[in-house]
């Protein structure tokens, strides 16, 4: 019997890319490929790239070069680029980076096994030719679902595939293979974006907004629960738009309670919400549904009205603070995080002061700050009133320092609170770490538990916050709380 072909998936970027990698893994395993963790042990190293900002693109190139260095020194024979950077640049990336043996776009995902076999056998597969994916679906959201079958949508594979396509498969096994044993997994709620923010290129290579059907989201969640997952995080470019192409913009409000009732699931988290699209009913569900985390990942980006208008966005400091007041009036313990861009073209000192006013009043649990840089193909890249790079760097450093102080202060406000903590790592030397409802994986802080007795990865435990370490919390497990994973509350 010939030796099995081996493949390693190296994932960069956001949780959406992680979902896409697990779909690729499912496709490859179903076609006989053996998945390995280390690229050095793989015949083919597949790098799922990020194409969002310059730093992420650099990380993607570095990962491709690092994988290429393995060739000739071990088993690795080929390095292939997939993901957003490959989709966005295609042939241009292939020409600039000849070390990559293949550059595959989203359209190649359904035939990923054949593509890799061709490359591994020494054949040549033409590099992906980029195109504006916003033009692949109808302009009207109501007409998109009928056309979806003809468009490659990573992470949208139906969850009613035949037996044998996934580990522990059954009637609801998705075309997905888990790549780690984490008790947390992301679930793709939708893809693409209809917003036209002047700084963002994502819609051009991720396409127009299209929702997954609720039945597919539910079935995938049930399958993940069978794999031992305790928390699911719903991901997309814009979760607040979910359902608009299915005839019901309030579909998320009815889907969340159903997801929370899935056997084995202890927490449901929703990421990436647009402030301008928040509605009272959605706030009510997020703040009152058992097992749904009162967590608000709100994409503010700035708070000065003139800057927001130049970004093609809406809102201002006072409206944003009113939104936060509304949320906290319903759930005082709610977690809120956001990202901000400083040094946007035309940003004045008074605009920066307005952003500071918002940050000082917002009491955010986690803050990401980025300095503006041009992204090719975006409207903002054509603006004339650019700030000098040293000014952008100075403002970035200033707001970053402020953000660090503020999130530390917010963490201190939580001392004395009782949290439900999902245990994610147990190590004799490093200790026991987990996350509470206000902390999303990777992007936010975490909780260090003072005692690990009787705890294991995947357990939900009640703990009282007794201290802080910057944005992170230190908490003491409460006596008798080891059974709280069976409770229905948050």
């Amino acid at each position: 019997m010939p030796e099995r072909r081996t493949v390693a998936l190296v994932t960069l970027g956001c949780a959406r890319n992680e979902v896409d990698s697990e779909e690729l893994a499912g496709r490859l395993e179903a076609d006989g490929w053996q998945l390995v963790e280390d690229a050095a042990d793989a015949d083919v190293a597949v790098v799922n790239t990020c194409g969002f900002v310059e730093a992420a693109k650099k990380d993607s190139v570095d990962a491709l070069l690092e994988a290429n260095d393995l060739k000739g020194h071990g088993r690795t024979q080929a390095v292939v680029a997939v993901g957003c950077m490959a989709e966005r640049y295609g042939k241009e990336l292939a020409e600039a980076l000849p070390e990559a043996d293949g550059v595959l776009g989203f359209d190649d995902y359904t035939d990923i096994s054949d593509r890799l076999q061709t490359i591994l056998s020494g054949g040549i597969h033409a590099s992906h030719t980029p195109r504006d994916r916003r033009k692949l679906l109808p302009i009207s959201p109501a007409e998109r679902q009928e056309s979806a079958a003809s468009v490659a949508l990573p992470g949208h594979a139906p969850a009613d595939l035949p037996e044998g396509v996934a580990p522990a498969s059954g009637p609801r096994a998705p075309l997905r293979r888990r790549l780690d044993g984490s008790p947390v997994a992301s679930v793709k709620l939708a893809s693409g974006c209809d917003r036209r923010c002047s700084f963002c290129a994502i819609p051009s290579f991720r396409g127009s907004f299209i929702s997954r059907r609720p039945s597919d989201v539910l079935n995938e969640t049930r399958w993940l629960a069978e794999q031992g997952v305790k928390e699911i995080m719903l991901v997309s470019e814009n979760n607040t738009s979910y359902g608009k192409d299915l005839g019901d913009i309030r579909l998320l409000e009815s889907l969340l309670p159903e997801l929370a009732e899935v056997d084995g699931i202890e927490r449901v988290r929703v990421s990436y919400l647009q402030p301008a699209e928040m509605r009272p009913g959605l706030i009510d569900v997020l703040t009152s549904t058992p097992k749904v985390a009162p967590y608000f990942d709100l994409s503010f980006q700035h708070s000065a009205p003139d800057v927001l208008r130049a970004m093609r966005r809406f809102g201002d400091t006072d409206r944003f603070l009113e939104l936060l007041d509304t949320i906290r009036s319903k759930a005082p313990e709610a977690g809120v995080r956001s990202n901000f861009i400083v040094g946007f073209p035309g940003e004045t000192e008074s605009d920066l002061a307005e952003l500071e006013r918002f940050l000082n009043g917002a009491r955010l649990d986690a803050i990401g700050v980025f300095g503006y840089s041009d992204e090719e193909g975006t409207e903002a890249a054509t603006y004339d009133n650019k700030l000098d790079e040293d000014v952008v760097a100075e403002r970035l450093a200033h707001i970053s320092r402020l953000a660090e102080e503020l999130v530390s202060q917010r963490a201190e406000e939580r001392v004395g609170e009782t949290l439900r903590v999902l245990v994610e790592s147990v190590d004799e030397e490093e200790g026991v770490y987990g996350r509470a409802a206000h902390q999303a994986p990777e992007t936010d802080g975490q909780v260090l538990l003072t005692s690990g007795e009787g705890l294991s990865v995947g357990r939900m435990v009640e703990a009282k916050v007794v201290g802080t370490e910057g944005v992170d919390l230190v908490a003491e497990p409460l006596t008798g709380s080891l059974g709280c994973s069976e409770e229905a509350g948050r």
Side-chain angles (χ1 to χ4, degrees), residues 39-46 63-81 97-102 119-120:
D41 299 327
D43 295 316
V44 184
V46 178
L64 287 164
L65 293 174
E66 183 177 339
N68 181 71
D69 289 341
L70 297 172
K71 291 192 292 188
H73 300 287
R75 179 161 184 155
T76 309
Q77 301 174 52
V79 176
V80 175
L97 200 69
E99 292 85 353
D101 299 286
I119 293 168
L120 187 60

Side-chain angles (χ1 to χ4, degrees), residues 277-297:
E277 297 180 28
M278 290 301 294
R279 47 196 180 269
L282 180 56
I283 294 174
D284 287 343
V285 170
L286 287 169
T287 55
S288 65
T289 307
K291 294 189 179 182
V292 173
Y295 176 79
F296 294 80
D297 176 15

Side-chain angles (χ1 to χ4, degrees), residues 189-190 209 211-212 214 217 234-236 238-244 246 248-260 268-274 277-279 281-283 285-286 289 292 295:
L189 190 63
F209 184 90
S211 305
R212 289 184 75 195
V217 177
L234 300 177
V235 299
S236 75
N238 178 9
N239 282 329
T240 34
S241 283
Y242 180 70
K244 72 175 186 179
L246 293 172
D248 185 0
I249 192 61
R250 295 178 299 276
L251 197 55
L252 185 55
E253 286 94 307
S254 58
L255 177 60
L256 284 172
E258 292 186 72
L259 293 170
V268 178
R269 184 184 304 277
V270 183
S271 68
Y272 212 81
L273 303 166
Q274 286 290 343
E277 297 180 28
M278 290 301 294
R279 47 196 180 269
L282 180 56
I283 294 174
V285 170
L286 287 169
T289 307
V292 173
Y295 176 79

Side-chain angles (χ1 to χ4, degrees), residues 72-256:
H73 300 287
R75 179 161 184 155
T76 309
Q77 301 174 52
V79 176
V80 175
V82 298
C84 290
M85 191 175 181
E87 175 65 35
R88 184 176 181 184
Y89 295 106
K91 290 182 177 179
E92 183 182 340
L93 176 62
E95 293 170 359
L97 200 69
E99 292 85 353
D101 299 286
V103 176
L104 307 180
F106 297 152
D107 293 337
D108 293 304
Y109 282 21
T110 55
D111 299 312
I112 187 68
S113 179
D114 290 342
R115 300 288 187 265
L116 295 191
Q117 185 59 58
T118 296
I119 293 168
L120 187 60
S121 302
I124 298 176
H125 176 71
S127 296
H128 165 66
T129 300
R131 52 180 172 168
D132 189 340
R133 298 192 73 86
R134 291 172 293 191
K135 299 178 180 179
L136 301 183
L137 290 169
I139 294 177
S140 170
E143 299 174 3
R144 290 176 189 166
Q145 290 289 330
E146 293 182 5
S147 305
S150 62
V151 177
L153 296 169
H156 280 236
D160 55 357
L161 295 161
E163 185 174 350
V165 300
S169 61
R172 55 176 172 261
L175 190 54
R176 176 174 181 172
R177 200 270 201 184
R178 298 221 64 207
L179 293 174
D180 61 38
S182 170
V184 183
S186 296
V187 175
K188 189 80 70 85
L189 190 63
S191 287
C193 186
D194 289 340
R195 302 182 71 87
R196 294 295 178 261
C197 301
S198 64
F199 57 83
C200 183
I202 290 176
S204 66
F205 57 85
R206 276 290 185 179
S208 298
F209 184 90
I210 184 164
S211 305
R212 289 184 75 195
R213 294 195 174 276
S215 58
D216 287 338
V217 177
L218 273 165
N219 283 336
E220 186 166 340
T221 298
R222 293 183 181 116
W223 179 80
L224 287 167
E226 292 168 358
Q227 309 305 303
V229 169
K230 299 300 180 183
E231 175 181 326
I232 62 162
M233 183 167 72
L234 300 177
V235 299
S236 75
E237 280 72 24
N238 178 9
N239 282 329
T240 34
S241 283
Y242 180 70
K244 72 175 186 179
D245 53 320
L246 293 172
D248 185 0
I249 192 61
R250 295 178 299 276
L251 197 55
L252 185 55
E253 286 94 307
S254 58
L255 177 60
L256 284 172

Side-chain angles (χ1 to χ4, degrees), residues 51-54 57 88 134 193 195-205 272 274 299-302 307-314 339-345 370-383 386:
F52 180 41
V53 293
E54 287 304 318
K57 286 183 276 189
R88 184 176 181 184
R134 291 172 293 191
C193 186
R195 302 182 71 87
R196 294 295 178 261
C197 301
S198 64
F199 57 83
C200 183
I202 290 176
S204 66
F205 57 85
Y272 212 81
Q274 286 290 343
S299 176
F300 289 120
Q301 303 297 347
H302 212 285
V307 175
L308 287 168
R309 302 305 175 269
M311 289 178 169
R312 302 295 183 199
R313 296 179 65 83
F314 307 94
N339 292 325
F340 300 89
I341 298 173
V342 296
F344 194 80
F370 301 87
Y372 173 82
S373 62
D374 284 340
E375 278 293 312
E376 61 179 289
T378 63
E379 180 184 353
T382 68
Y383 289 175
K386 305 276 176 59

